[in-house]
């Protein structure tokens, strides 16, 4: 299968995509007859299979969902049978690298099935790796397929394992190797099972043993660079890339822990460089290393948890009755105060509201006496006020002498236009939005299903309507907004029935058949169209052959060139949202017209004039949004759309993107029809930022550039809100590991998110909490429409920055006009040590000291300069805000920025009148 690849890399090497097979499938019967064993239900990774003739006395294959190296799933195999991954055509005589992570005890074998062609014809099996393993931790192995047989046209990767128990395998890849990669991998292959590499741990201490190996590497690197001018240019260049990627992991100053895969690569690289420098390479010696002790590396840490302090009074919890309010709503607070001293503590409880930069209002004060060991609950109500955006509610206990014994804050958002303050990460304590993905009976023309339990149209999720309705009502009481999923296609039994009643509602190809959905590309199965949607206890199929569940991912695209179809879809959504209690809808894609044919056989867009098409797109979007926001302008609408999709989709002939205002487009009429409405957001869909593979979202420098470009387009120019996600976090939330739930990398990442006006949707980890808390408290300075970026060409005229190391900031300067002047907002973002985001990076950076900012304020008066940042892992869980002392003179104001690890925001408040 030559289409199985993701670029030059192996498709589905993480095993996240799966196929469920029936025990009655003819292939399964054959495999099991030959000796293969599969647990029930039978699940294969997509584009993977088995060689039935290699099972021997009993080979096993199982997809396991818990405990993967990265992601959710991994492969568990045993018995020596061959498990085969489709790859396809290979470059003639080009070496290919195989990488895989393994765990367990036994022998792991990797090989390649080679094919001549075309057409492909099997010619041989090449062994590329055979190692004995014994590790409870995931360990990486790399091998080389030399591909030096000119007859080889195509290849498939093959894995097998034997041992007392099946062996675990994860994150497999197969891709072309550069000359430098090939040399390093060959060196690694020589060292496996010799003791010269670490093959039983995942992260080790940077101890004296490592220091010796590090010194050897530095020496080899120095000699190689001295001799590199006389070596093959392509080899030197490719090794340079490998060295650049390796060095942060083994040479970063102050590192305390080393990921074993890079430790081993450093050992192999040392030998490669020495050999190329003409040095005699000594026989490899055993390497000694100590595992990082996770219990010592990670203290107990839970977002929102504050234990009572011994010998004094503690504000242990502040709990608003909601996480999101409308302006001028009435709110109530429950505060818990604990006295752990041995005497009655008398004083006053004071409640304050913090908003904007430094506005403070007193809400309540009350005298109190708290007995020893007493846990007091203090409740009070108040009005949240007319201002939009984040609040901090502070509770203080002040003793009889006026001394603040303790204080604490908790945070929430205020906005009727709630997508301005969107916090969509599931499980976060600041989550104010719940997304229901692919849970409706159809993805276009939706109605409430007459079924207690039904299968959703697209993904075939099992939906219990009563249970979901209860959840919707529960979340509403907490102030959490909720929206459901739709796209441009009729799907599922309900969608097929709508198509049967209204065949004029859908698109057709020129052959008269239904048009193929541009995303999902699957026709509906006519044998399933009458199957009952009900799957609960009330299911009563009238005919036995209809007693079946329909297949998922079948779609019939709606004809959005018909205004009556657009209106029909929008009216359905509006009615459905009201009946089910939803506050908005996510449209997977962007509303616009497509080429195709109507039920009458005529083209639905019978012209090529791009201005007309742009107007057409604007028209249907305005119809859609006008209906949904009728009577409620704050009904939420968001779309899967970003700047990077525009040119890509237009090159593919997608005319729904014409009118987006980018590049040589004829107008921006269509994008304005999307963003000129209130409460609109656009999703930049990234899923693999912290996983394997190759895309711009996996590189910090590239991701920041993409965030900035999309911000300038959608936020700054057109006033929309931007979201990035759904970003998977391949870490077990119950097991923080040496990286403390990826604390360093996630906080580097959240620095970019905060600085570029983004909202992020992911799955919550404690490491996200500092950033989410900061966004909640200071959303007025991040997401408001009046926060305007200072153009790059003007930044140097306004700001001068001195820093001991390079940081990102020049595209991250904003200005906000005020009645009496303006705020100048500068975001300072540290650069991660690695080229790619690495969720397993352990060491936090040393705080950066010595950063100075000079702002040109002319004849205006400086009111205040303040620095704000999220909390560190070891600090109390509160944003850190500090007033800075400025040196003012000659029309300029200079401050020294407090040290920071990942990010800080500096605000100059300037009065001009």
């Amino acid at each position: 299968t030559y289409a199985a690849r993701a670029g030059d890399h192996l498709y589905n090497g993480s095993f996240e995509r799966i196929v469920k097979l029936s025990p009655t499938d003819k292939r399964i019967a054959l495999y099991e007859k030959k000796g293969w064993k599969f647990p029930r239900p039978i699940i294969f990774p997509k584009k993977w299979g088995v060689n039935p003739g290699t099972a021997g006395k009993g080979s096993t294959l199982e997809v396991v969902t818990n405990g993967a190296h990265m992601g959710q799933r991994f492969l568990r195999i045993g018995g020596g049978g061959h498990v085969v991954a489709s790859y396809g055509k290979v470059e003639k005589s080009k070496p290919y690298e195989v990488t895989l992570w393994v765990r367990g005890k036994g022998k792991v074998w990797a090989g390649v099935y080679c094919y001549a062609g075309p057409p492909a014809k099997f010619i041989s099996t090449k062994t590329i790796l055979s190692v004995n393993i014994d590790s409870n931790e995931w360990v990486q192995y790399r091998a080389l397929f030399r591909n030096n047989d000119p007859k080889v046209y195509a290849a498939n990767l093959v894995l097998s394992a034997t041992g007392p128990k099946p062996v675990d395998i994860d994150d497999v890849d197969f891709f072309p190797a550069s000359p430098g990669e090939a040399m390093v991998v060959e060196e690694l292959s020589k060292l496996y099972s010799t003791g010269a590499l670490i093959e039983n741990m995942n992260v080790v201490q940077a101890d004296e043993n490592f220091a010796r190996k590090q010194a050897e590497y530095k020496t080899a690197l120095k000699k190689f660079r001295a001799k590199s001018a006389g070596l093959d240019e392509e080899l030197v260049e490719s090794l340079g890339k490998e060295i650049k990627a390796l060095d942060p992991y083994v040479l970063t100053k102050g590192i305390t822990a080393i990921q074993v895969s890079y430790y081993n690569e450093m050992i192999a690289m040392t030998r490669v460089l020495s050999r190329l420098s003409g040095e005699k390479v000594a026989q490899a010696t055993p390497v000694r290393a100590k595992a990082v002790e996770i219990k010592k590396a990670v203290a107990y840490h839970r977002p929102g948890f504050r234990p009572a302090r011994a010998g004094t009074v503690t504000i242990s919890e502040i709990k608003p009755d909601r996480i999101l309010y409308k302006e001028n709503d009435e709110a109530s607070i429950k505060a818990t105060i604990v006295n752990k001293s041995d005497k009655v503590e008398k004083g006053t409880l004071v409640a304050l509201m913090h908003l904007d930069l430094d506005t403070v209002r007193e809400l309540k004060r009350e005298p109190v006496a708290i007995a020893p060991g007493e846990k007091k609950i203090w409740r009070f109500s108040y009005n949240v006020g007319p201002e939009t955006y984040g609040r901090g509610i502070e509770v203080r206990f002040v003793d009889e002498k006026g001394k603040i014994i303790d204080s604490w804050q908790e945070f929430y958002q205020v906005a009727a236009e709630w997508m301005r303050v969107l916090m969509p990460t599931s499980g976060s304590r600041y989550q104010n939005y719940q997304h229901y993905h692919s849970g409706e009976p159809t993805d276009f023309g939706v109605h409430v299903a007459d079924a207690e339990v039904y299968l959703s149209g697209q993904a075939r999720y099992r939906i219990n309507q009563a249970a979901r309705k209860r959840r919707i009502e529960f979340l509403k009481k907490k102030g959490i907004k909720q929206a459901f999923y739709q796209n441009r296609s009729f799907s599922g039994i309900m969608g097929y029935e709508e198509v049967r009643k209204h065949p004029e509602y859908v698109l057709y190809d020129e052959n008269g058949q239904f048009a193929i959905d541009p995303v999902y590309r699957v026709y509906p199965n006519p044998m399933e169209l009458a199957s009952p949607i009900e799957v609960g206890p009330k299911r009563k199929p009238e005919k036995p052959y209809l007693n079946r569940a329909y297949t998922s991912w079948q779609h019939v695209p709606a004809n959005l060139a018909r205004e009556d179809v657009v209106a029909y879809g929008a009216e359905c959504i509006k009615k459905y949202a009201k009946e089910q209690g939803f506050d908005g809808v996510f449209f997977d894609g962007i509303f616009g017209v497509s080429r195709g044919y109507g039920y009458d056989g005529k083209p639905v867009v019978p012209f090529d004039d791009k201005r007309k098409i742009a107007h057409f797109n604007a028209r249907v979007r305005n119809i859609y949004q006008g209906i949904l926001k009728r009577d409620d302008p704050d009904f939420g609408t968001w779309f899967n759309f970003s700047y990077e999709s525009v040119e890509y989709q237009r090159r593919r002939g997608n005319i729904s993107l014409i009118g987006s205002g980018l590049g040589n487009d004829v107008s921006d009429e269509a994008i304005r029809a999307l963003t000129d409405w209130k409460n609109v957001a656009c999703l930049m869909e990234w899923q693999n930022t912290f996983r394997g593979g190759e895309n711009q979202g996996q590189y910090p420098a590239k991701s920041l550039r993409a965030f900035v470009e999309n911000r300038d387009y959608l936020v700054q120019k057109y006033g929309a809100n931007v979201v990035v996600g759904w970003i998977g976090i391949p870490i077990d939330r119950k097991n923080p590991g040496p990286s403390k739930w990826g604390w360093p990398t996630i906080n580097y990442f959240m620095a970019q998110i905060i600085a570029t006006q983004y909202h992020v949707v992911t799955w919550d980890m404690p490491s996200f909490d500092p950033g989410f808390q900061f966004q909640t408290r200071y959303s007025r300075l991040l997401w408001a429409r009046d926060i305007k970026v200072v153009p790059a060409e003007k930044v140097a005229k306004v700001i001068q920055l001195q820093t001991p190391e390079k940081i990102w900031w020049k595209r991250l300067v904003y200005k906000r006009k005020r009645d009496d002047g303006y705020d100048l907002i500068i975001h300072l973002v540290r650069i991660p040590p690695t080229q790619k985001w690495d969720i397993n990076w352990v060491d936090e950076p040393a705080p950066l000291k010595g950063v100075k900012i000079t702002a040109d304020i002319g004849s205006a008066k400086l009111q205040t300069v303040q620095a704000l940042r999220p909390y560190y892992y070891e600090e109390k869980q509160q944003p850190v805000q500090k007033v800075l002392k400025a040196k003012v003179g000659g029309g300029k104001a200079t401050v020294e920025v407090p040290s920071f690890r990942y990010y800080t925001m500096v605000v100059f408040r300037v009065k001009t009148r």
Side-chain angles (χ1 to χ4, degrees):
T1 302
Y2 303 149
R5 283 171 282 180
D8 287 327
H9 290 262
L10 183 71
Y11 175 83
N12 197 29
S14 62
F15 312 115
E16 295 300 301
R17 298 182 182 275
I18 59 172
V19 177
K20 295 182 179 180
L21 299 175
S22 168
T24 60
D25 189 300
K26 291 182 179 180
R27 293 169 296 171
I28 297 301
L30 171 64
Y31 300 157
E32 292 186 328
K33 184 178 180 181
K34 293 286 187 178
W36 281 92
K37 296 178 181 178
F38 310 107
R40 268 50 174 174
I42 300 174
I43 298 173
F44 275 28
K46 193 173 182 181
K47 296 295 183 182
W48 288 73
V50 300
N51 183 335
T54 62
K57 294 182 180 179
S59 293
T60 60
L61 180 151
E62 180 183 4
V63 176
V64 185
T65 304
N66 187 27
H69 168 248
M70 297 279 278
Q72 293 181 307
R73 299 183 175 95
F74 65 90
L75 211 59
R76 180 168 285 163
I77 62 177
H82 287 192
V83 180
V84 186
S86 297
Y87 185 79
K89 186 178 178 181
V90 294
E91 295 182 55
K92 289 280 187 182
S93 303
K94 175 84 173 181
Y96 279 71
E97 180 178 345
V98 173
T99 63
L100 64 158
W101 291 78
V102 302
R103 180 178 63 183
K105 184 174 184 179
K107 174 175 277 190
V108 172
W109 176 89
V112 174
Y113 287 166
C114 299
Y115 302 85
K121 182 179 179 181
F122 177 78
I123 54 175
S124 64
T125 300
K126 301 287 187 184
T127 295
I128 58 173
L129 179 71
S130 181
V131 292
N132 293 314
I133 66 163
D134 187 0
S135 175
N136 294 323
E137 300 288 336
W138 287 104
V139 177
Q140 186 189 51
Y141 287 91
R142 299 166 70 181
L144 194 69
F145 171 49
R146 292 176 178 81
N147 192 26
N148 49 15
D149 183 347
K151 295 192 298 293
V152 174
Y153 166 75
N156 285 335
L157 179 64
V158 191
L159 304 174
S160 76
T162 56
K165 292 182 179 180
V167 169
D168 300 340
I169 298 179
D170 200 2
D171 289 326
V172 181
D173 206 353
F174 183 69
F175 54 91
S178 70
E181 285 175 315
M183 289 193 72
V184 172
V185 173
E186 284 195 305
E187 196 68 42
L188 285 167
S189 298
K190 297 174 187 175
L191 300 177
Y192 290 139
S193 303
T194 67
L197 300 175
I198 303 169
E199 299 180 64
N200 59 354
M201 290 180 279
N202 194 268
V203 182
V204 297
Q205 299 175 30
D207 58 10
E208 65 279 1
N209 296 303
F210 168 74
R212 285 193 289 269
K213 296 291 184 181
Q214 184 190 54
E216 293 172 7
Y217 173 63
K218 289 180 178 179
T219 300
L221 185 57
K222 183 178 181 180
K223 291 181 178 179
F224 167 74
R225 285 174 171 158
K227 296 285 185 72
S228 60
L231 299 174
D232 177 80
E233 189 175 334
E234 183 184 2
L235 175 61
V236 171
E237 182 182 357
S238 63
L239 275 171
K241 291 179 180 178
E242 296 299 301
I243 291 166
K244 185 177 180 181
L246 171 64
D247 280 358
Y249 291 94
V250 296
L251 297 183
T252 296
K253 186 178 179 181
I255 53 174
T256 65
I258 315 295
Q259 295 179 51
V260 162
S261 57
Y262 295 102
Y263 199 135
N264 287 342
E265 184 178 350
M266 179 187 71
I267 291 170
M269 182 69 80
T270 300
R271 297 173 65 82
V272 168
L273 298 180
S274 296
R275 192 174 287 112
L276 290 172
S277 302
E279 300 289 321
K280 184 178 179 180
V281 179
Q283 184 176 349
T285 57
V287 63
R288 295 181 177 87
K290 298 176 183 177
V292 171
E293 297 182 20
I294 296 176
K295 290 182 180 179
K296 292 182 179 179
V298 181
Y300 183 77
H301 196 286
R302 189 175 80 212
F305 176 76
R306 193 181 189 219
R309 302 171 300 162
T312 188
V313 173
T314 303
I315 315 297
S316 65
E317 184 181 46
I318 301 172
K319 195 170 183 179
D321 63 331
R322 280 182 275 165
I323 196 64
L324 174 64
Y325 301 87
K326 292 182 180 179
E327 295 83 353
N328 290 312
D329 269 352
E330 294 299 315
S332 64
I333 292 288
K334 172 189 170 184
T336 303
I337 303 96
V338 181
N339 180 9
K340 285 284 187 177
S341 74
D342 56 3
K343 63 178 182 177
V344 175
E345 296 287 356
K346 295 181 179 181
T348 303
L349 290 173
V350 181
L352 305 169
M353 177 193 289
H354 298 262
L355 63 158
D356 203 283
L357 177 64
D358 52 11
T359 300
V360 182
R361 294 182 191 141
E362 184 171 313
L363 300 175
K364 179 85 171 177
R365 66 172 52 226
E366 182 177 299
V368 66
I370 311 175
E374 182 183 359
K375 179 187 289 186
K376 181 176 180 59
I377 305 299
W378 188 39
R379 289 184 170 89
F380 58 92
S381 299
Y382 63 100
N383 189 287
V384 299
E387 298 89 353
T388 306
Y389 302 106
R391 303 283 195 277
I393 298 299
E394 179 184 3
V395 174
R396 294 176 178 173
F397 176 70
V398 183
D399 69 11
E400 293 178 300
K401 296 180 181 179
K403 181 181 178 181
I404 299 175
I405 301 301
D406 193 30
S407 70
W408 199 251
Q409 293 187 50
E410 194 48 271
F411 310 93
Y412 57 81
Q413 302 279 14
V414 175
E417 189 185 357
W418 49 271
M419 282 190 171
R420 282 279 143 200
V421 297
L422 189 67
M423 300 290 289
T425 288
S426 179
S428 166
R429 60 179 169 142
Y430 299 109
Q431 176 190 1
N432 60 28
Y433 169 81
Q434 175 66 46
H435 184 69
Y436 294 85
H437 171 66
S438 299
E440 314 320 315
T442 177
D443 297 322
F444 196 88
V446 67
H447 304 282
V448 175
D450 183 18
E452 182 182 36
V453 183
Y454 67 82
L455 293 179
S456 66
Q458 174 173 275
R460 212 172 64 171
Y461 295 148
R462 191 180 181 91
I463 304 298
N464 183 311
Q465 293 210 88
R468 189 172 72 166
K469 196 71 177 290
R470 288 194 297 270
R471 176 168 175 76
I472 290 171
E473 290 303 317
F474 170 75
L475 294 179
K476 273 187 176 295
K477 292 177 181 177
K478 296 176 68 175
I480 296 176
K481 299 296 183 180
Q482 297 159 88
F484 64 102
Y485 172 97
Q486 291 280 272
N487 62 38
R488 64 181 300 133
S489 291
F490 295 93
S491 66
I493 304 303
M494 179 181 287
Y496 305 156
E497 176 62 12
E498 293 301 296
V499 173
R500 185 190 67 78
K501 292 189 294 186
H502 295 284
E504 73 278 11
Y505 279 8
V506 299
L507 278 175
Y508 296 85
D509 286 334
E510 58 186 347
N511 62 4
Q513 300 296 313
F514 292 133
I516 297 177
D517 184 280
V519 177
Y520 302 108
R521 309 188 69 81
V522 181
Y523 281 123
N525 183 343
M527 296 301 293
E528 299 176 353
L529 299 192
S531 296
I533 191 172
E534 173 73 69
V535 292
K538 295 181 180 179
R539 181 182 175 97
K540 294 180 180 179
E542 297 178 3
K543 301 176 182 178
Y545 58 83
L546 296 181
N547 189 15
R548 58 183 292 169
Y550 59 84
T551 307
S552 58
W553 308 101
Q554 302 181 62
H555 297 77
V556 185
N559 181 4
L560 299 185
R562 288 185 57 137
E563 294 183 3
D564 61 336
V565 175
V566 175
Y568 169 77
E571 292 288 2
C572 286
I573 289 172
K574 188 176 181 67
K575 184 172 184 289
Y576 186 84
K578 184 177 181 180
E579 292 172 336
Q580 298 286 74
F582 287 114
D583 305 287
V585 63
F586 171 78
F587 187 83
D588 196 358
I590 189 164
F591 233 86
V593 300
S594 299
R595 300 279 188 195
Y597 297 84
Y599 189 55
D600 58 5
K602 298 178 181 179
V604 299
V605 183
F607 44 80
D608 295 319
D609 188 320
K610 290 185 177 181
R611 290 193 177 277
K612 287 185 178 180
I613 294 172
H615 183 72
F616 213 163
N617 284 327
R619 173 68 178 159
V620 301
R621 291 178 195 174
N622 280 322
I623 292 172
Y624 174 75
Q625 300 220 88
I627 290 171
L628 293 180
K629 296 175 187 290
R630 184 180 67 215
D631 309 322
D632 181 9
D634 292 314
F635 183 85
T637 52
W638 62 307
F639 304 86
N640 194 338
F641 174 72
S642 67
Y643 89 100
E644 60 186 5
S645 66
V646 174
E647 287 302 327
Y648 170 72
Q649 291 291 344
R650 286 197 303 215
R651 286 196 304 270
R652 296 181 66 197
N654 187 342
I655 63 173
S656 67
L657 277 299
I658 295 175
S660 297
L662 277 176
N664 61 353
D665 211 338
V666 293
S667 74
D668 64 357
E669 182 179 10
I671 185 61
R672 289 192 180 280
L674 201 73
T675 60
D676 281 354
W677 298 85
K678 286 183 64 179
N679 216 25
V680 175
C682 296
L683 171 73
M684 177 188 282
E685 186 168 358
W686 286 2
Q687 297 184 3
N688 295 320
T689 300
F690 301 119
R691 301 182 187 274
E694 287 292 322
N695 58 63
Q696 65 174 345
Q698 294 176 319
Y699 291 82
K702 293 179 181 179
S703 68
L704 180 61
R705 183 170 64 244
F707 290 153
V708 165
E709 289 174 351
N710 198 50
R711 171 206 68 186
D712 289 349
Y713 172 49
L714 284 171
V715 182
Q716 290 293 315
K717 188 173 183 179
Y718 293 112
N721 304 286
V722 286
V723 188
V724 63
W726 279 252
I727 295 177
I729 308 298
I731 292 178
D732 183 353
R733 199 181 192 282
K734 297 178 182 178
N735 179 20
S739 71
K740 308 189 296 285
W741 298 283
W743 192 279
T745 295
I746 286 177
N747 279 271
Y748 277 122
F749 177 74
M750 283 302 297
Q752 292 193 4
I753 291 294
I754 294 168
T756 55
Q757 301 188 290
Y758 267 77
H759 311 255
V760 61
V761 54
T762 178
W763 286 262
D764 185 46
M765 290 279 166
S767 40
F768 276 110
D769 198 65
F772 290 162
Q773 183 189 75
F774 189 90
Q775 287 181 305
T776 301
R777 166 62 183 92
Y778 298 110
S779 57
R780 177 65 184 87
L781 300 171
L782 304 175
W783 296 328
R785 288 181 185 270
D786 60 2
I787 304 297
K788 297 299 182 182
V789 70
V790 177
E793 63 274 12
K794 294 184 179 180
V795 166
K797 299 177 182 178
V798 179
I799 296 292
Q800 292 82 48
L801 184 136
Q802 294 175 263
T803 174
E805 70 177 40
K806 183 181 178 182
I807 59 175
W808 287 317
W809 69 277
K810 290 183 180 179
R811 302 290 301 278
L812 309 174
V813 179
Y814 302 83
K815 194 172 184 178
R816 171 176 68 155
K817 291 183 179 179
R818 295 169 50 82
D819 290 341
D820 62 350
Y822 63 89
D823 285 342
L824 196 60
I825 304 167
I826 305 107
H827 299 266
L828 307 179
V829 174
R830 295 285 293 277
I831 301 174
T834 57
Q835 290 181 323
K836 296 180 73 171
W837 295 114
D838 185 350
I839 203 72
N840 296 310
W841 180 268
V842 173
D843 289 294
E844 298 203 61
L848 179 62
K849 301 177 181 179
V851 177
K852 292 184 179 180
I853 300 177
T854 299
D856 190 339
I857 62 173
S859 59
K861 179 182 179 181
L862 183 68
Q863 289 185 302
T864 184
V865 187
Q866 300 193 38
L868 309 86
R869 64 166 175 83
Y871 65 84
Y872 298 155
Y873 181 82
E874 71 279 5
E875 292 180 325
K876 62 182 181 181
Q877 297 177 28
Q878 303 278 269
V880 177
Q881 183 169 351
K882 184 178 181 180
V883 176
L884 307 184
K885 185 177 181 180
K887 182 179 179 181
V888 181
K892 295 184 177 182
T894 300
V895 295
E896 184 165 340
V897 179
S899 64
F900 62 100
R901 285 183 184 163
Y902 303 100
Y903 162 85
T904 199
M905 176 169 71
V906 179
V907 182
F908 286 77
R909 178 156 289 176
V910 180
K911 186 174 182 180
T912 57
R913 61 172 180 264

